[in-house]
Amino acid sequence: ETYELYSEFGKRGGALQAQWTSLLEAYGQKYPKEYAELTRRIAGKLPEGWEKNLPVYKPTDPAQASRKLSEIVLTHIIPNIPELLGGSADLTGSNLTKVKGTVDFQPPSTGLGTYAGTYIRYGVREHGMGAIANGLSAYGAIIPFVATFLNFVSYASGAVRLSALSGHQVIWVVRKRFNEGKATHDSIGLGEDGPTHQPVETAIGLRATPNLAFWRPADGNETSAAYYVALTSKKTPSVLSLSRQNLPNLEGSTIEKAVRGGYVLHEEENETSRSIAVEAASKLKAEGIKTRVVSLPCWLTFDQQDEEYRLSVLRSGAPILSLEALSTAGWQKYSHEQYGLPAWGASAPYQKVYEKFGITGTNIAAVGKKVVDFYKKQGIPVVSPLSKAIHL
């Protein structure tokens, strides 16, 4: 009886779908241009050549905050990808997600926008925002991007989890209070705001979520790469964690390398990048220790690369030390030793917070030397952590 009851709904749905298909075909005859655009969006195909609009940077280009780099990307791609529908949880001015020329989605009677608008003011309701974005993605023909602070994504954890579980292409543009810690101008963000706004534990929670791409771009090219992967991953939601602090454009970074989720940023011969990791590498070189610096902006994307490539980046033969101004949880998969924050952050000017937690070029070089000395004393070959887990 249950089967028969449900089959009636199936029949009704089939009839409604047939009607809709006929209507769409008639629409195509009358409005061929609009029909082509609508069916492209429904099929999830991006406009031809859209990626050519992604900004490309050189090391000589001025340092900028990655939230600003994100705004530049959106400014370049939104006119070419009209299905992008943005919004923020009352943090538009900080997230920089509303770009010039966009109109708010509002009733025309309000004088604040129109129903043709492509930007939504969600108010302080991250979970509601995430749930709406899931619905927009599930409906189809729309790619939603939403914005808040990284710390406040926790309010939307249920919606984010459902995005990943259901395969909804939702892009979260979030500003972090801790700046990038592995191969860039590593900073403990707005230090004066203190631990309440410093999400030391949030990244690992997002990274541990299956089918969720958590990006921490270190410069302009990595920011462009994050958007490229997010927009071409039709069944995977993304979280782009961006900085308020200016980040130098790193020698060795390219969009082509960064779209693989991890790559070799610096070898001993190349020491022009201004970053804590590269500064530490330079100091280690002075002590006769050769150092490679790897940038790993997205674990999920890196894990999806072939085994040969991953082992070429995180190779055997030398100990690997990870550096990030967050919890070290999870880095054991990629490194032999980890350096990061052992507990909550602190309230002070961010330079002072750096010093408090030892995230300086001088200290990281000292830590690196200790790691090298320890493994030398072991007297056994150093195998990449990936080699240990790669066939499990």
Side-chain angles (χ1 to χ4, degrees):
E1 290 178 354
T2 302
Y3 182 86
E4 290 176 357
L5 174 64
Y6 274 80
S7 68
E8 291 301 315
F9 287 95
K11 292 174 185 176
R12 186 178 74 179
L16 290 170
Q17 183 175 342
Q19 292 177 23
W20 186 87
T21 301
S22 297
L23 180 64
L24 182 64
E25 290 174 354
Y27 178 76
Q29 293 293 323
K30 192 171 183 180
Y31 305 102
K33 182 179 177 181
E34 290 82 356
Y35 170 83
E37 175 65 12
L38 177 60
T39 53
R40 176 192 69 76
R41 297 191 200 185
I42 292 173
K45 296 179 180 179
L46 293 170
E48 193 73 29
W50 73 273
E51 70 280 0
K52 296 176 182 177
N53 296 289
L54 289 170
V56 178
Y57 296 89
K58 307 183 298 296
T60 52
D61 290 331
Q64 297 188 81
S66 55
R67 64 169 180 165
K68 181 64 179 178
L69 295 167
S70 167
E71 181 186 36
I72 293 171
V73 171
L74 291 172
T75 300
H76 280 75
I77 66 174
I78 282 177
N80 300 285
I81 308 178
E83 58 266 42
L84 282 168
L85 181 62
S88 176
D90 203 35
L91 289 167
T92 295
S94 184
N95 296 135
L96 303 182
T97 39
K98 188 178 188 302
V99 302
K100 186 177 180 180
T102 57
V103 176
D104 280 13
F105 180 83
Q106 292 278 1
S109 60
T110 64
L112 300 174
T114 72
Y115 286 138
T118 56
Y119 195 81
I120 299 175
R121 310 280 181 163
Y122 286 101
V124 187
R125 47 178 70 88
E126 278 80 3
H127 176 70
M129 177 175 70
I132 290 169
N134 286 343
L136 292 169
S137 176
Y139 182 78
I142 293 170
I143 302 176
F145 68 92
V146 293
T148 184
F149 285 168
L150 175 58
N151 206 36
F152 302 156
V153 175
S154 301
Y155 296 139
S157 58
V160 174
R161 186 176 187 272
L162 187 61
S163 276
L165 183 62
S166 303
H168 297 316
Q169 187 185 19
V170 176
I171 302 172
W172 286 79
V173 181
V174 300
R175 202 189 91 186
K176 61 178 177 285
R177 298 288 183 135
F178 275 62
N179 205 349
E180 183 60 10
K182 54 190 187 310
T184 182
H185 180 73
D186 177 38
S187 114
I188 299 176
L190 286 184
E192 291 87 343
D193 280 6
T196 57
H197 284 63
Q198 296 167 348
V200 300
E201 83 294 354
T202 309
I204 185 57
L206 294 169
R207 285 166 170 162
T209 305
N211 190 41
L212 177 65
F214 178 73
W215 284 86
R216 300 195 72 203
D219 71 351
N221 289 327
E222 290 192 6
T223 303
S224 291
Y227 270 102
Y228 177 86
V229 176
L231 286 165
T232 54
S233 300
K234 298 302 178 185
K235 297 295 182 180
T236 300
S238 303
V239 177
L240 278 56
S241 181
L242 308 171
S243 73
R244 181 187 181 188
Q245 290 71 36
N246 288 339
L247 308 178
N249 290 295
L250 302 172
E251 187 80 44
S253 86
T254 66
I255 295 176
E256 292 73 21
K257 291 179 183 178
V259 294
R260 305 195 75 167
Y263 62 99
V264 177
L265 176 70
H266 161 89
E267 294 283 12
E268 182 191 13
E269 294 79 11
N270 179 9
E271 295 179 353
T272 58
S273 297
R274 296 165 293 165
S275 72
I276 287 176
V278 177
E279 180 188 347
S282 179
K283 292 180 181 296
L284 287 169
K285 179 184 177 182
E287 297 196 38
I289 300 173
K290 295 181 179 180
T291 306
R292 161 185 280 196
V293 178
V294 168
S295 182
L296 208 66
C298 183
W299 292 7
L300 177 68
T301 303
F302 182 69
D303 289 345
Q304 292 169 343
Q305 306 305 307
D306 61 85
E307 175 182 339
E308 182 181 1
Y309 175 76
R310 284 178 284 153
L311 287 173
S312 74
V313 175
L314 297 175
R315 61 191 179 190
S316 298
I320 299 172
L321 170 67
S322 64
L323 169 63
E324 186 171 46
L326 295 174
S327 166
T328 60
W331 279 105
Q332 294 79 2
K333 179 179 177 180
Y334 306 100
S335 60
H336 300 96
E337 306 294 334
Q338 301 79 38
Y339 195 93
L341 298 182
W344 298 111
S347 178
Y350 73 85
Q351 298 92 336
K352 296 293 184 183
V353 184
Y354 280 15
E355 294 172 8
K356 172 181 172 64
F357 291 108
I359 303 178
T360 65
T362 299
N363 187 59
I364 298 306
V367 172
K369 188 174 187 308
K370 286 181 182 178
V371 171
V372 170
D373 291 344
F374 173 81
Y375 281 89
K376 276 185 178 179
K377 288 179 182 178
Q378 300 300 305
I380 57 176
V382 181
V383 179
S384 170
L386 291 182
S387 295
K388 300 175 184 178
I390 211 157
H391 296 297
L392 294 181

